[in-house]
Amino acid sequence: MSSKEIEGWQTSMELLQIKKLETEVETELVLAARSGLEGSVEHLIEDDKREKDILSKKGETLAVELAELLELVRLKEAEIAENNAQMQEVQERIGAVVSRFHGSQSDIDMKINSLQESQTKIDQDTEALALKKNEIDNCISSAEQKDSDLREIINACSSEAKACQQSVEIRRKLASSILKSRQDRIGLLKMEEEISQDIQMLRQQTTDARTSLQEISSKRACIQQEMATCKQKLSFIDKRGPELEAEKKVAAAARNFKEAGRIAAEAKTLNSEKEELRAKLEKAGTDLEVIEKDIAATTDKIQECEGLIVLKEQESAMASYKRLRLDSSAARAELTAATETDDGEEVEILRKEAEAAESKALELKTLYNLQPDSDEYIFQPVVPIAFITNSTWQHLAEMASSFGLSPET
């Protein structure tokens, strides 16, 4: 806006200069006309004119001296006044001579007065433009001062915004540790649940396998008992065969053919029973081999399930150990925050909670001889949400520094 006003002022000045030049040209023309008028009466006022020229030159000299030596204005004012008085006398004489040219002279005087008024108006416009320029300069100065003040405010706001951004970044990093701790705890709980389901399934499989093993063992005992019975019968038949043959020979020698026939029928029956027992014993042996394989496979499956149960219990114990250490870390963090609030009851509850979690974790570690592969669940920084929300930026910065966190990392 100030630049536009300056351009307007410069345009107005140029217009005034042009108008001033036009006025000067018009003045020269009027003066030339007046000179022509005076030339017509020059022979009448030649002596007076010469004297007037001298006085006019003297007045011009005095005016030049007045312009150059403003400090001597008061000294020159008396001389100018005297010279003006003399000029007035000469002008009166001239007026008497040129009174008959009063009409032309009046027009010239009116023109001169008009030009003087124009000159006065130009001077006033010049002065007004100068005042306008001063106002513009003041406006520019004020705008520059406001610009400087605004820059200072912007710098202060920028510093404050940077501090706020760092505070938000620190709070975000601290809060992310809480979210990660919660996610890890949820993951560990889910892992425990899945492992527990696997253990239950393996135990059910073990129970089923043991039941099946008992049934198979019962079948094996029955088959073994049946095979023993068959072997006893075969042994009896093997012993009875020669006896029957001897009795048959005795009956034949005694011509007791009826007894001999009975003995021969009994021997034939025993032979048939012997073949049946051998077939039955062979089939029982085959079934026993199959059952023995089933018993071995079932026993291997039971041992495998028991081994998997031990491994799963070990994994579950490790997951529980890590979860308990997370719970202990969170409780310790809450305990630190509660200590600053001087809430004795809350402090005692959190201390007992942390100690219980640590005790249970140590018990699991000792019972299962756990060897944690890392300490990421033990030393992971955990800060309470309320502590992050209510703490000052300086306190948060100190806490983040102690955890190895910073807005730039």
Side-chain angles (χ1 to χ4, degrees), residues 146-401:
K146 289 180 180 179
D147 178 72
S148 177
D149 295 340
L150 286 173
R151 289 185 184 278
E152 292 179 359
I153 294 173
I154 289 171
N155 292 331
C157 292
S158 177
S159 300
E160 185 176 355
K162 185 177 181 181
C164 291
Q165 184 177 7
Q166 292 177 349
S167 175
V168 170
E169 186 67 17
I170 290 176
R171 293 179 194 273
R172 185 187 66 79
K173 288 184 178 295
L174 292 175
S176 66
S177 67
I178 298 176
L179 296 177
K180 187 176 186 304
S181 176
R182 290 179 178 177
Q183 291 174 354
D184 292 339
R185 189 177 187 279
I186 293 172
L188 291 172
L189 285 172
K190 186 176 181 181
M191 183 185 297
E192 290 182 51
E193 183 179 353
E194 292 175 353
I195 293 174
S196 177
Q197 292 176 355
D198 292 341
I199 291 174
Q200 290 179 0
M201 182 180 67
L202 290 171
R203 285 177 177 170
Q204 184 63 41
Q205 291 178 0
T206 303
T207 301
D208 296 340
R210 290 187 185 278
T211 302
S212 176
L213 182 62
Q214 290 177 355
E215 294 175 356
I216 296 172
S217 298
S218 298
K219 289 181 181 180
R220 182 180 66 175
C222 292
I223 292 173
Q224 288 176 344
Q225 185 177 0
E226 184 180 357
M227 289 179 68
T229 301
C230 290
K231 287 179 181 180
Q232 289 177 357
K233 289 181 178 181
L234 284 172
S235 178
F236 172 77
I237 292 172
D238 288 340
K239 290 180 181 181
R240 183 62 179 162
E243 293 176 355
L244 290 175
E245 189 64 29
E247 290 177 359
K248 179 181 177 183
K249 288 180 180 181
V250 172
R255 299 278 183 177
N256 190 353
F257 296 108
K258 185 178 180 179
E259 182 65 19
R262 185 190 65 77
I263 292 171
E266 184 179 355
K268 184 178 180 180
T269 301
L270 288 176
N271 288 330
S272 298
E273 186 178 358
K274 183 179 180 180
E275 293 297 328
E276 291 177 0
L277 288 172
R278 284 180 176 175
K280 191 174 182 179
L281 185 62
E282 185 179 355
K283 182 178 183 303
T286 303
D287 293 340
L288 184 62
E289 289 179 359
V290 173
I291 288 175
E292 289 292 346
K293 291 180 180 179
D294 291 342
I295 290 173
T298 304
T299 303
D300 292 340
K301 184 177 181 181
I302 291 173
Q303 292 177 351
E304 181 183 359
C305 289
E306 289 177 346
L308 290 174
I309 288 172
V310 172
L311 292 176
K312 290 294 183 179
E313 287 178 346
Q314 189 83 6
E315 291 178 4
S316 178
M318 178 62 77
S320 298
Y321 172 78
K322 292 179 178 180
R323 176 180 56 79
L324 289 169
R325 292 313 302 264
L326 278 177
D327 293 342
S328 172
S329 178
R332 290 291 181 187
E334 295 287 347
L335 178 61
T336 302
T339 303
E340 297 188 1
T341 62
D342 297 331
D343 189 347
E345 183 177 357
E346 182 70 14
V347 168
E348 188 62 25
I349 293 173
L350 290 172
R351 181 180 287 109
K352 289 181 180 179
E353 183 180 344
E355 291 175 354
E358 291 172 354
S359 176
K360 182 65 175 176
L362 182 60
E363 180 181 347
L364 288 173
K365 184 177 181 181
T366 305
L367 180 62
Y368 291 94
N369 192 23
L370 300 178
Q371 300 293 332
D373 53 356
S374 67
D375 295 333
E376 60 176 330
Y377 295 98
I378 301 175
F379 300 106
Q380 186 179 25
V382 179
V383 184
I385 287 291
F387 197 72
I388 294 175
T389 305
N390 300 326
S391 296
T392 62
W393 183 85
Q394 290 80 3
H395 199 175
L396 288 173
E398 294 174 0
M399 183 181 301
S401 177

